[in-house]
Amino acid sequence: LVNVYSNYTYYGAFRNCPLLETVTLGKGVTVIPDRAFQDLPALRTVSIMGVSSVPYYAFYGCGELINLTLGDTITEIGQCAFMNCASLTDFDLPGSLSNIAANAFNGCAGLTRIQIPDGMDTINTRAFANCTGLTEISFDGAVSTIGASAFEGCTGLTEVEIPSGVV
């Protein structure tokens, strides 16, 4: 269990810690550096409350991650931030979110549904590619840009709900 409440953790700070199961980033944490929690094979639960951005490769390769809570201060999910978190199941994208970077959730095979919040500006290239368990996508409002191959390889997809004016 790691509870971080101070302002800053360092690049790769907890990378390759094979027994780490839970990460809680409290409201006092305002920055997560790149790759801070990359490749944690036992990580199952993550709660992020105070940051505005989940950066590049922050939780990349945490294949056993199941439970994810994203606070309402998050506006951006960075490139490959949760890529290959194959066990990640359904979670809520915060209403504050405006940008999902390239490959952010690529390979998250455990996802079954995604609800894109109103106010989303950009879903970048391959953001949800290869989410093979994904069956449902719904949009709460307009999205300015949906990048190339954003949902490519989502072989289980059976329902997409797109209101007028989404793209």
Side-chain angles (χ1 to χ4, degrees):
L1 171 64
V2 171
N3 291 310
V4 180
Y5 297 99
S6 66
N7 189 36
Y8 196 80
T9 56
Y10 293 95
Y11 176 94
F14 299 97
R15 187 175 175 192
N16 295 321
C17 293
L19 302 179
L20 185 57
E21 296 180 4
T22 302
V23 171
T24 302
L25 300 172
K27 289 190 180 222
V29 177
T30 57
V31 176
I32 303 171
D34 298 342
R35 301 180 188 268
F37 299 96
Q38 182 179 345
D39 295 322
L40 302 180
L43 187 65
R44 298 180 62 79
T45 302
V46 171
S47 177
I48 305 170
M49 290 297 135
V51 301
S52 62
S53 175
V54 179
Y56 175 86
Y57 284 82
F59 294 92
Y60 174 91
C62 294
E64 296 302 313
L65 179 60
I66 296 171
N67 302 308
L68 176 62
T69 303
L70 299 173
D72 60 6
T73 59
I74 296 173
T75 59
E76 179 177 12
I77 297 177
Q79 183 177 344
C80 304
F82 294 97
M83 186 173 181
N84 294 331
C85 291
S87 298
L88 185 60
T89 57
D90 302 333
F91 62 94
D92 294 324
L93 293 171
S96 56
L97 190 62
S98 63
N99 183 42
I100 299 174
N103 295 300
F105 294 98
N106 188 337
C108 292
L111 288 178
T112 59
R113 67 163 186 83
I114 291 293
Q115 185 168 350
I116 307 298
D118 190 25
M120 177 67 66
D121 183 50
T122 304
I123 300 171
N124 279 287
T125 303
R126 302 180 58 78
F128 292 97
N130 303 309
C131 293
T132 55
L134 191 61
T135 60
E136 179 184 341
I137 303 167
S138 62
F139 294 82
D140 289 344
V143 175
S144 298
T145 304
I146 297 177
S149 304
F151 298 97
E152 177 184 22
C154 294
T155 56
L157 196 57
T158 59
E159 183 178 342
V160 178
E161 185 180 322
I162 304 175
S164 61
V166 165
V167 180

